[in-house]
Amino acid sequence: AAMEIDRAILKWYSNYGKAFKIQVSTDSTTWTDVYSTTTGASYSVTDVTFAKTTARYVRMYGTQRGNQSGYSLFDFMVLNDP
């Protein structure tokens, strides 16, 4: 079900996203950017807040890999902070 969210935490392994977006959707067809960066790093934590939005689906949309091996997350949390 769709719910309000306003924060995402991504924990990266060695195969990180150098440039990526966090996108949300209510129907898995139309996606809206809530965060983007071009400064990702390996073995790092991306902890971002954004304006409250309603979403059923959340994804990390990679636009540039940090190396040739793809993307590797070991944790991806989506939150609604009070």
Side-chain angles (χ1 to χ4, degrees):
M3 56 183 47
E4 273 195 346
I5 60 170
D6 64 358
R7 184 178 178 195
I9 302 171
L10 292 75
K11 295 183 180 179
W12 295 95
Y13 196 58
S14 59
N15 302 327
Y16 64 100
K18 181 171 181 160
F20 63 93
K21 300 175 183 182
I22 297 175
Q23 298 179 320
V24 298
S25 175
T26 55
D27 61 6
S28 76
T29 301
T30 304
W31 294 91
T32 302
D33 297 347
V34 293
Y35 174 78
S36 67
T37 188
T38 58
T39 60
S42 64
Y43 298 104
S44 66
V45 175
T46 302
D47 186 346
V48 296
T49 57
F50 43 86
K52 283 201 186 285
T53 187
T54 301
R56 182 174 181 180
Y57 305 97
V58 181
R59 71 181 181 186
M60 183 285 297
Y61 182 77
T63 56
Q64 183 181 2
R65 294 179 297 202
N67 57 40
Q68 297 301 325
S69 299
Y71 300 100
S72 181
L73 286 165
F74 63 88
D75 206 358
F76 188 154
M77 296 176 274
V78 178
L79 307 158
N80 180 17
D81 285 340

